[in-house]
Amino acid sequence: MTSPRATIAFIGLGNMGAPMAANLVKAGHTVTGYDIVPAALQALIAAGGKLASSAADAAKDADVVITMLPAGEHVRDVWLHQGGLIEAVKSRGPLLIDCSTIDVESARVVTAAAEAAGLAMLDAPVSGGTIGAQNGTLTFMVGGAEDAFARGKPILEAMGKNIFHAGGPGAGQAVKICNNMMLAINMVGVSEGFLLARKLGLDWNKLHEICSTATSNSWALSQYCPAPGPAPAAPSNRDYAPGFMTQLMVKDVKLSQAAAEATGSPTPLAALALTFYEKAMQAGDATKDFSVVFRWLAGQKR
Ligand code: NAD
């Protein structure tokens, strides 16, 4: 079991990492952070964390090392290549946890390298968005060995409400890719419904109130409504500031499509939804929240 008061290195303090690290501080852990963008470190200082000059520097005294990075190439880079974190920490035996959403293959390669160095590693991607990260209510879907999961669970509980052991290495990422593929399709569906409702003369608040208790209800509809107004905390009420950037959703749906291709699984709706998010990106909304697909769709002709 990892000590309830752990020394934790947190690498990658962006939209998700910063509030997650802040919740670890709140839970009484000592957190040292690193990000290549200096501005990203401010939130951790404000929360009571410490700063390091590199990933290896952050991890030098850590019982647990967590990464929350954009994509597989960054995760491989930090753990295996430039960052070389596995090499830097292997003599101390910390638990390694990657919370980024990445391809299953990268997760398995990095975990295998960690295990070859005598370290336990978990892939522990999350769901719940920046709101869940701030509130400490994330869902963690975790891949890795049973004993590594038992060590990591108390740490993850400081950042999330539902902590699931999905299976062996890479299983957390497999669940996450399926989750985000379903979410990408669902967000387009909710957007189409709200756009049609307006054309039919309906009030968005009324539609939201009714459908939140009807069979079309979903997280995208009730909490993250892409039409401005009905869900106060949703990015649609602040010009689609992220949240979860469209470029990250495109990354994730592409991961699902690569997995579907490799396994021969039919995903025609996801393939179509991907083209919408890509077009929203091309229209200049790559760094807006992915629910901006609503605004892109609103600009289309039937
Ligand atoms: P982000 O781009 O806001 O944050 C990533 C951070 O990593 C940035 O601050 C960046 O500077 C930093 N970084 C990149 N390379 C680095 C390196 N070599 N060393 C140190 N820091 C480095 O992205 P985010 O929204 O926080 O998402 C992070 C991950 O979580 C992604 O894989 C994403 O798909 C996933 N995710 C995001 C959300 C969401 O709602 N934002 C929800 C669930 C999962």
Side-chain angles (χ1 to χ4, degrees):
M1 253 324 195
T2 306
S3 132
R5 294 272 185 278
T7 299
I8 301 174
F10 206 112
I11 319 299
L13 298 159
N15 290 321
M16 294 295 287
M20 289 166 72
N23 280 328
L24 289 170
V25 176
K26 253 188 239 161
H29 300 299
T30 301
V31 182
T32 304
Y34 174 69
D35 195 292
I36 46 171
V37 175
L41 300 165
Q42 297 312 314
L44 181 61
I45 306 176
K50 299 181 196 172
L51 301 190
S53 56
S54 67
D57 182 34
K60 67 180 189 302
D61 298 319
D63 309 315
V64 181
V65 184
I66 300 176
T67 44
M68 189 50 162
L69 300 163
E73 72 238 44
H74 308 94
V75 173
R76 285 181 189 242
D77 194 35
V78 166
W79 289 108
L80 306 177
H81 307 310
Q82 263 185 2
L85 255 191
I86 289 177
E87 192 57 32
V89 302
K90 70 176 184 191
S91 61
R92 299 197 62 258
L95 174 66
L96 315 183
I97 306 178
D98 177 43
C99 294
S100 328
T101 302
I102 64 171
D103 57 293
V104 174
E105 178 61 15
S106 290
R108 290 189 176 146
V109 164
V110 177
T111 299
E115 286 174 353
L119 299 171
M121 182 157 198
L122 299 170
D123 50 289
V126 304
S127 178
T130 46
I131 301 167
Q134 282 152 17
N135 296 339
T137 55
L138 292 169
T139 291
F140 282 86
M141 31 208 106
V142 186
E146 285 281 358
D147 52 346
F149 178 71
R151 280 173 74 192
K153 195 165 179 249
I155 298 295
L156 301 179
E157 279 168 346
M159 302 180 282
K161 201 168 62 172
N162 301 299
I163 323 291
F164 292 103
H165 190 206
Q173 296 297 350
V175 174
K176 177 66 185 171
I177 287 169
C178 295
N179 180 78
N180 278 22
M181 184 184 82
M182 293 188 276
L183 173 61
I185 295 169
N186 185 215
M187 186 58 84
V188 173
V190 174
S191 297
E192 290 186 3
F194 275 74
L195 287 170
L196 177 61
R198 172 113 332 157
K199 297 274 189 200
L200 294 172
L202 289 170
D203 172 62
W204 279 339
N205 287 315
K206 191 51 79 184
L207 181 75
H208 183 262
E209 184 190 352
I210 297 171
C211 290
S212 291
T213 66
T215 47
S216 60
N217 189 28
S218 64
W219 177 84
L221 188 151
S222 62
Q223 294 181 52
Y224 218 76
C225 185
S236 54
N237 298 309
R238 40 175 211 272
D239 192 30
Y240 299 94
F244 181 48
M245 290 186 278
T246 306
Q247 63 192 19
L248 289 178
M249 181 53 102
V250 164
K251 171 202 67 155
D252 290 355
V253 185
K254 281 185 174 166
L255 291 179
S256 77
Q257 295 310 277
E261 177 77 30
T263 55
S265 184
T267 57
L269 278 185
L272 183 59
L274 175 59
T275 65
F276 294 177
Y277 292 104
E278 285 177 326
K279 284 176 184 157
M281 270 180 76
Q282 287 152 15
D285 286 336
T287 59
K288 291 285 187 188
D289 186 81
F290 78 107
S291 56
V292 79
V293 74
F294 171 87
R295 193 166 70 184
W296 175 81
L297 208 53
Q300 303 306 303
K301 293 200 177 74
R302 176 160 165 71

